[in-house]
Amino acid sequence: MSGLIKGSENQPIAQQTKLGWILSGPVQSPLQCSVEINNIEDISAYWEVGEIAIASIAMTREEQFCEELYVKITRRLPDGRYEVRLPLKNSFENELGQSKAWAAAQFKQLESRLMRNPHLRDSYQKFMHEYADLGHMIECKERKEHMCYLPHHGVYREESTTTKLCAVFNASSPTSKGKSLNDLMECGPKLQKDIQDLLLRWRIYQYIYTADCEKMYRCILLQEDQQHLQKILWRDNLVDMDRLKEYQLCTITYGMKAVPFLAMRTMQELACDDKEKYPLAAEVLQC
Protein backbone atom coordinates (compact mmCIF):
# COMPACT_ATOMS: atom_id res chain seq x y z
CA MET A 1 0.00 0.00 0.00
CA SER A 2 1.01 3.62 -0.17
CA GLY A 3 2.20 3.96 3.45
CA LEU A 4 6.01 4.01 3.70
CA ILE A 5 8.15 5.32 6.61
CA LYS A 6 11.92 5.51 6.44
CA GLY A 7 14.19 6.28 9.36
CA SER A 8 17.97 6.62 9.48
CA GLU A 9 20.33 4.30 7.62
CA ASN A 10 20.56 1.95 10.60
CA GLN A 11 16.82 1.59 11.06
CA PRO A 12 14.35 -0.67 9.21
CA ILE A 13 11.72 0.56 6.79
CA ALA A 14 8.04 0.43 7.74
CA GLN A 15 5.72 -0.55 4.88
CA GLN A 16 1.95 -0.49 5.09
CA THR A 17 0.17 -3.60 3.67
CA LYS A 18 -3.38 -4.89 3.68
CA LEU A 19 -2.38 -7.18 6.55
CA GLY A 20 -0.91 -4.31 8.58
CA TRP A 21 2.50 -2.61 8.86
CA ILE A 22 5.65 -4.68 8.29
CA LEU A 23 9.27 -3.89 9.09
CA SER A 24 12.21 -4.86 6.92
CA GLY A 25 15.88 -3.99 6.79
CA PRO A 26 18.91 -3.95 9.11
CA VAL A 27 18.51 -3.50 12.85
CA GLN A 28 21.52 -2.08 14.67
CA SER A 29 19.81 -0.15 17.44
CA PRO A 30 17.40 -1.32 20.15
CA LEU A 31 13.76 -0.83 19.12
CA GLN A 32 10.53 -1.09 21.00
CA CYS A 33 7.74 -2.55 18.79
CA SER A 34 4.08 -3.17 19.39
CA VAL A 35 1.68 -5.19 17.29
CA GLU A 36 -1.89 -4.17 16.65
CA ILE A 37 -4.33 -6.31 14.62
CA ASN A 38 -7.41 -4.49 13.43
CA ASN A 39 -9.06 -7.01 11.10
CA ILE A 40 -8.53 -10.62 12.20
CA GLU A 41 -11.33 -11.69 9.78
CA ASP A 42 -9.31 -10.49 6.80
CA ILE A 43 -6.28 -12.51 7.88
CA SER A 44 -8.45 -15.57 8.47
CA ALA A 45 -10.00 -15.25 5.01
CA TYR A 46 -6.52 -14.93 3.47
CA TRP A 47 -5.51 -18.36 4.75
CA GLU A 48 -8.86 -20.01 4.03
CA VAL A 49 -8.63 -19.13 0.33
CA GLY A 50 -5.64 -21.41 -0.10
CA GLU A 51 -6.86 -24.18 2.16
CA ILE A 52 -7.46 -27.62 0.59
CA ALA A 53 -10.84 -28.96 1.58
CA ILE A 54 -10.76 -32.44 3.07
CA ALA A 55 -13.33 -34.68 1.43
CA SER A 56 -15.82 -36.27 3.74
CA ILE A 57 -15.40 -40.02 4.05
CA ALA A 58 -18.98 -40.49 5.19
CA MET A 59 -21.31 -41.64 2.40
CA THR A 60 -24.88 -40.53 2.01
CA ARG A 61 -27.61 -43.17 2.05
CA GLU A 62 -27.84 -43.03 -1.76
CA GLU A 63 -24.06 -43.38 -2.15
CA GLN A 64 -24.03 -46.30 0.25
CA PHE A 65 -26.74 -47.96 -1.84
CA CYS A 66 -24.57 -47.64 -4.97
CA GLU A 67 -21.53 -49.11 -3.21
CA GLU A 68 -23.45 -52.02 -1.73
CA LEU A 69 -25.10 -52.79 -5.08
CA TYR A 70 -21.72 -52.75 -6.81
CA VAL A 71 -20.16 -55.15 -4.29
CA LYS A 72 -23.16 -57.47 -4.37
CA ILE A 73 -23.85 -57.61 -8.12
CA THR A 74 -20.60 -56.95 -10.00
CA ARG A 75 -18.84 -59.98 -11.41
CA ARG A 76 -15.74 -60.60 -13.48
CA LEU A 77 -16.10 -62.62 -16.66
CA PRO A 78 -13.61 -65.26 -17.90
CA ASP A 79 -12.16 -62.80 -20.45
CA GLY A 80 -11.23 -60.42 -17.60
CA ARG A 81 -13.92 -57.81 -18.20
CA TYR A 82 -16.36 -56.71 -15.52
CA GLU A 83 -20.15 -56.73 -15.68
CA VAL A 84 -21.98 -54.09 -13.64
CA ARG A 85 -25.50 -52.87 -12.97
CA LEU A 86 -27.01 -49.38 -13.11
CA PRO A 87 -28.01 -48.14 -9.62
CA LEU A 88 -31.62 -47.34 -10.43
CA LYS A 89 -34.09 -46.02 -7.89
CA ASN A 90 -36.73 -48.40 -6.57
CA SER A 91 -39.61 -46.63 -8.28
CA PHE A 92 -38.03 -46.20 -11.70
CA GLU A 93 -40.43 -48.60 -13.52
CA ASN A 94 -43.47 -46.52 -12.55
CA GLU A 95 -41.90 -43.20 -13.49
CA LEU A 96 -40.14 -44.12 -16.74
CA GLY A 97 -42.43 -43.16 -19.60
CA GLN A 98 -42.32 -43.75 -23.36
CA SER A 99 -39.29 -42.46 -25.25
CA LYS A 100 -39.20 -44.02 -28.73
CA ALA A 101 -41.18 -41.30 -30.54
CA TRP A 102 -38.94 -38.53 -29.22
CA ALA A 103 -35.78 -40.52 -30.00
CA ALA A 104 -37.04 -41.10 -33.58
CA ALA A 105 -37.73 -37.38 -34.04
CA GLN A 106 -34.27 -36.54 -32.78
CA PHE A 107 -32.70 -39.10 -35.08
CA LYS A 108 -34.44 -37.61 -38.14
CA GLN A 109 -32.99 -34.22 -37.25
CA LEU A 110 -29.56 -35.82 -36.94
CA GLU A 111 -30.10 -37.57 -40.26
CA SER A 112 -30.82 -34.28 -42.03
CA ARG A 113 -27.63 -32.84 -40.62
CA LEU A 114 -25.61 -35.85 -41.76
CA MET A 115 -27.08 -35.67 -45.27
CA ARG A 116 -25.89 -32.07 -45.58
CA ASN A 117 -22.37 -32.94 -44.43
CA PRO A 118 -20.87 -36.00 -46.17
CA HIS A 119 -17.67 -35.84 -44.11
CA LEU A 120 -19.62 -35.87 -40.84
CA ARG A 121 -21.87 -38.64 -42.19
CA ASP A 122 -18.87 -40.86 -43.05
CA SER A 123 -17.31 -40.27 -39.62
CA TYR A 124 -20.60 -41.06 -37.86
CA GLN A 125 -21.11 -44.25 -39.84
CA LYS A 126 -17.53 -45.32 -39.13
CA PHE A 127 -18.09 -44.78 -35.41
CA MET A 128 -21.31 -46.79 -35.38
CA HIS A 129 -19.75 -49.59 -37.43
CA GLU A 130 -16.93 -49.85 -34.92
CA TYR A 131 -19.43 -49.86 -32.07
CA ALA A 132 -21.22 -52.84 -33.60
CA ASP A 133 -18.08 -54.68 -34.75
CA LEU A 134 -16.63 -54.59 -31.23
CA GLY A 135 -19.87 -55.96 -29.80
CA HIS A 136 -20.58 -52.80 -27.85
CA MET A 137 -24.06 -52.66 -29.36
CA ILE A 138 -26.27 -55.31 -30.93
CA GLU A 139 -29.42 -55.17 -33.01
CA CYS A 140 -32.43 -56.07 -30.93
CA LYS A 141 -36.00 -56.82 -31.98
CA GLU A 142 -37.19 -58.15 -28.63
CA ARG A 143 -39.88 -56.13 -26.91
CA LYS A 144 -39.73 -55.61 -23.16
CA GLU A 145 -41.49 -53.48 -20.60
CA HIS A 146 -39.94 -50.21 -19.49
CA MET A 147 -37.62 -49.81 -22.46
CA CYS A 148 -35.74 -46.54 -22.79
CA TYR A 149 -34.56 -45.06 -26.10
CA LEU A 150 -31.63 -42.64 -25.92
CA PRO A 151 -31.30 -39.83 -28.49
CA HIS A 152 -27.74 -39.42 -29.72
CA HIS A 153 -25.60 -36.84 -31.49
CA GLY A 154 -22.00 -36.49 -32.58
CA VAL A 155 -19.23 -34.50 -30.92
CA TYR A 156 -16.37 -33.76 -33.31
CA ARG A 157 -12.93 -33.16 -31.81
CA GLU A 158 -10.46 -31.93 -34.40
CA GLU A 159 -7.53 -32.08 -31.98
CA SER A 160 -8.02 -35.78 -31.19
CA THR A 161 -5.30 -38.07 -32.51
CA THR A 162 -7.51 -41.19 -32.34
CA THR A 163 -11.28 -40.84 -32.69
CA LYS A 164 -12.24 -37.53 -34.23
CA LEU A 165 -15.95 -38.08 -33.78
CA CYS A 166 -17.68 -39.53 -30.75
CA ALA A 167 -21.39 -40.27 -30.47
CA VAL A 168 -22.92 -39.14 -27.18
CA PHE A 169 -26.06 -40.84 -25.87
CA ASN A 170 -28.43 -38.53 -24.01
CA ALA A 171 -29.77 -40.26 -20.89
CA SER A 172 -31.00 -36.87 -19.64
CA SER A 173 -33.66 -36.67 -22.35
CA PRO A 174 -37.11 -36.70 -20.65
CA THR A 175 -39.65 -39.42 -21.41
CA SER A 176 -43.41 -39.00 -21.80
CA LYS A 177 -43.78 -38.81 -18.00
CA GLY A 178 -41.28 -35.97 -17.75
CA LYS A 179 -38.56 -38.04 -16.11
CA SER A 180 -35.32 -39.07 -17.81
CA LEU A 181 -33.33 -42.21 -17.14
CA ASN A 182 -30.74 -40.09 -15.32
CA ASP A 183 -33.48 -38.69 -13.08
CA LEU A 184 -34.28 -42.24 -11.98
CA MET A 185 -30.69 -43.24 -11.31
CA GLU A 186 -28.43 -42.68 -8.31
CA CYS A 187 -25.12 -40.95 -8.97
CA GLY A 188 -22.82 -42.84 -6.63
CA PRO A 189 -19.95 -41.37 -4.58
CA LYS A 190 -17.34 -39.25 -6.28
CA LEU A 191 -14.18 -41.34 -6.57
CA GLN A 192 -12.08 -38.98 -8.70
CA LYS A 193 -9.22 -37.23 -6.97
CA ASP A 194 -9.66 -33.54 -6.20
CA ILE A 195 -7.91 -31.42 -8.85
CA GLN A 196 -6.26 -29.18 -6.22
CA ASP A 197 -4.81 -32.20 -4.47
CA LEU A 198 -3.50 -33.61 -7.75
CA LEU A 199 -1.82 -30.35 -8.75
CA LEU A 200 -0.11 -30.00 -5.38
CA ARG A 201 1.11 -33.61 -5.45
CA TRP A 202 2.55 -33.15 -8.93
CA ARG A 203 4.87 -30.45 -7.55
CA ILE A 204 6.65 -33.09 -5.45
CA TYR A 205 8.11 -34.86 -8.47
CA GLN A 206 10.58 -33.86 -11.15
CA TYR A 207 8.86 -35.90 -13.88
CA ILE A 208 5.16 -36.59 -14.38
CA TYR A 209 3.54 -39.21 -16.62
CA THR A 210 -0.08 -39.18 -17.71
CA ALA A 211 -1.97 -41.97 -19.44
CA ASP A 212 -5.42 -42.64 -20.79
CA CYS A 213 -7.51 -45.82 -20.58
CA GLU A 214 -8.65 -46.42 -24.14
CA LYS A 215 -12.44 -46.88 -24.41
CA MET A 216 -12.60 -47.10 -20.63
CA TYR A 217 -16.40 -47.01 -20.36
CA ARG A 218 -16.88 -49.43 -23.22
CA CYS A 219 -14.61 -52.02 -21.58
CA ILE A 220 -17.23 -52.48 -18.84
CA LEU A 221 -20.31 -54.54 -19.68
CA LEU A 222 -23.84 -53.82 -18.48
CA GLN A 223 -25.88 -56.76 -17.28
CA GLU A 224 -28.06 -58.08 -20.08
CA ASP A 225 -31.38 -57.59 -18.28
CA GLN A 226 -30.71 -53.84 -18.13
CA GLN A 227 -29.50 -53.33 -21.69
CA HIS A 228 -33.04 -52.57 -22.91
CA LEU A 229 -32.72 -49.31 -20.96
CA GLN A 230 -29.97 -48.27 -23.39
CA LYS A 231 -31.71 -48.60 -26.75
CA ILE A 232 -30.90 -46.39 -29.73
CA LEU A 233 -32.24 -45.96 -33.27
CA TRP A 234 -29.96 -46.11 -36.29
CA ARG A 235 -29.97 -46.94 -39.98
CA ASP A 236 -26.78 -47.28 -41.91
CA ASN A 237 -27.96 -46.47 -45.43
CA LEU A 238 -29.12 -42.89 -45.13
CA VAL A 239 -29.41 -42.39 -48.88
CA ASP A 240 -31.88 -45.23 -49.53
CA MET A 241 -33.66 -44.58 -46.23
CA ASP A 242 -33.66 -48.12 -44.87
CA ARG A 243 -36.06 -48.80 -42.05
CA LEU A 244 -34.97 -47.62 -38.64
CA LYS A 245 -33.28 -50.40 -36.70
CA GLU A 246 -33.23 -50.76 -32.95
CA TYR A 247 -29.98 -51.46 -31.13
CA GLN A 248 -29.17 -51.86 -27.47
CA LEU A 249 -25.88 -50.76 -25.96
CA CYS A 250 -24.09 -53.59 -24.19
CA THR A 251 -21.62 -51.51 -22.20
CA ILE A 252 -21.87 -48.54 -19.88
CA THR A 253 -21.73 -45.39 -21.91
CA TYR A 254 -21.23 -41.64 -21.96
CA GLY A 255 -24.15 -39.57 -20.73
CA MET A 256 -25.21 -41.85 -17.86
CA LYS A 257 -25.16 -40.19 -14.44
CA ALA A 258 -23.74 -43.22 -12.61
CA VAL A 259 -21.11 -44.13 -15.20
CA PRO A 260 -18.18 -42.12 -13.73
CA PHE A 261 -18.70 -43.95 -10.41
CA LEU A 262 -19.03 -47.35 -12.10
CA ALA A 263 -15.89 -46.80 -14.18
CA MET A 264 -13.71 -45.56 -11.31
CA ARG A 265 -15.04 -48.22 -8.96
CA THR A 266 -14.22 -50.91 -11.53
CA MET A 267 -10.71 -49.51 -11.86
CA GLN A 268 -10.31 -49.88 -8.10
CA GLU A 269 -11.72 -53.40 -8.25
CA LEU A 270 -9.26 -54.33 -11.00
CA ALA A 271 -6.34 -53.05 -8.92
CA CYS A 272 -7.54 -55.03 -5.91
CA ASP A 273 -8.10 -58.25 -7.88
CA ASP A 274 -4.75 -58.21 -9.68
CA LYS A 275 -2.47 -56.54 -7.14
CA GLU A 276 -0.57 -59.78 -6.46
CA LYS A 277 0.19 -60.27 -10.16
CA TYR A 278 0.91 -56.60 -10.94
CA PRO A 279 1.78 -54.82 -7.67
CA LEU A 280 3.32 -51.73 -9.27
CA ALA A 281 0.40 -51.23 -11.67
CA ALA A 282 -2.10 -51.74 -8.86
CA GLU A 283 -0.35 -49.08 -6.77
CA VAL A 284 -0.61 -46.58 -9.61
CA LEU A 285 -4.32 -47.25 -10.11
CA GLN A 286 -5.07 -46.88 -6.41
CA CYS A 287 -3.11 -43.70 -5.71
Side-chain angles (χ1 to χ4, degrees):
M1 298 178 68
S2 59
L4 182 66
I5 301 176
K6 295 182 178 180
S8 64
E9 294 182 356
N10 296 328
Q11 292 180 327
I13 297 173
Q15 172 70 59
Q16 186 184 15
T17 73
K18 289 188 176 182
L19 298 179
W21 288 85
I22 60 173
L23 298 177
S24 63
V27 178
Q28 297 183 3
S29 61
L31 295 173
Q32 291 183 348
C33 300
S34 62
V35 177
E36 181 179 353
I37 299 178
N38 296 321
N39 260 326
I40 190 67
E41 294 84 2
D42 291 344
I43 298 177
S44 176
Y46 173 80
W47 290 109
E48 289 172 358
V49 166
E51 184 178 359
I52 302 297
I54 300 176
S56 173
I57 60 174
M59 291 187 186
T60 64
R61 183 174 59 182
E62 292 77 11
E63 291 173 344
Q64 187 66 34
F65 163 73
C66 294
E67 172 63 19
E68 292 175 355
L69 181 68
Y70 185 92
V71 173
K72 180 180 178 181
I73 298 296
T74 300
R75 67 188 184 106
R76 194 172 188 182
L77 303 179
D79 63 0
R81 292 190 295 176
Y82 290 84
E83 187 181 67
V84 301
R85 192 168 186 83
L86 297 174
L88 297 171
K89 298 179 181 179
N90 292 330
S91 60
F92 89 93
E93 297 97 337
N94 299 326
E95 299 186 58
L96 185 65
Q98 301 298 316
S99 52
K100 184 175 180 179
W102 176 244
Q106 292 283 78
F107 179 76
K108 290 177 181 178
Q109 291 183 11
L110 170 66
E111 210 168 36
S112 299
R113 179 184 170 202
L114 297 180
M115 291 296 293
R116 294 193 302 268
N117 189 334
H119 177 68
L120 180 62
R121 179 183 66 208
D122 293 343
S123 297
Y124 213 105
Q125 287 178 329
K126 181 180 178 181
F127 180 91
M128 299 302 280
H129 288 170
E130 180 197 57
Y131 225 97
D133 292 342
L134 293 175
H136 297 163
M137 74 176 186
I138 58 174
E139 188 176 357
C140 179
K141 299 178 182 179
E142 183 181 2
R143 307 295 298 175
K144 290 187 176 182
E145 284 189 290
H146 314 300
M147 293 188 298
C148 186
Y149 292 81
L150 308 178
H152 53 93
H153 64 277
V155 175
Y156 197 82
R157 297 174 297 177
E158 185 63 40
E159 71 280 2
S160 175
T161 57
T162 53
T163 305
K164 297 289 185 181
L165 182 134
C166 178
V168 177
F169 305 101
N170 185 9
S172 294
S173 178
T175 65
S176 60
K177 291 187 176 180
K179 292 290 184 69
S180 70
L181 185 62
N182 274 344
D183 292 332
L184 305 175
M185 183 187 308
E186 301 294 357
C187 184
K190 179 184 175 182
L191 301 180
Q192 297 92 327
K193 299 294 185 182
D194 185 84
I195 187 63
Q196 288 182 313
D197 180 46
L198 285 175
L199 291 174
L200 290 176
R201 288 175 60 196
W202 284 353
R203 294 171 63 90
I204 299 174
Y205 304 99
Q206 184 176 3
Y207 302 103
I208 300 297
Y209 295 88
T210 63
D212 180 42
C213 297
E214 184 179 1
K215 295 181 176 62
M216 180 178 180
Y217 289 178
R218 289 161 58 184
C219 290
I220 304 171
L221 295 172
L222 182 66
Q223 288 191 351
E224 188 175 357
D225 67 335
Q226 280 194 332
Q227 291 177 13
H228 64 281
L229 296 172
Q230 297 187 156
K231 300 197 74 171
I232 66 166
L233 299 174
W234 173 254
R235 57 181 162 203
D236 192 59
N237 196 335
L238 304 180
V239 178
D240 295 336
M241 293 299 179
D242 292 342
R243 66 175 180 84
L244 279 177
K245 295 181 180 179
E246 297 185 10
Y247 294 84
Q248 62 186 34
L249 307 181
C250 306
T251 68
I252 62 174
T253 188
Y254 336 96
M256 294 280 187
K257 184 166 68 171
V259 160
F261 161 72
L262 292 172
M264 292 298 297
R265 185 63 180 81
T266 301
M267 186 76 77
Q268 294 178 356
E269 192 73 7
L270 174 65
C272 182
D273 288 347
D274 287 351
K275 63 183 177 183
E276 293 184 2
K277 293 168 59 178
Y278 308 104
L280 296 180
E283 182 181 354
V284 170
L285 292 182
Q286 291 175 319
C287 70

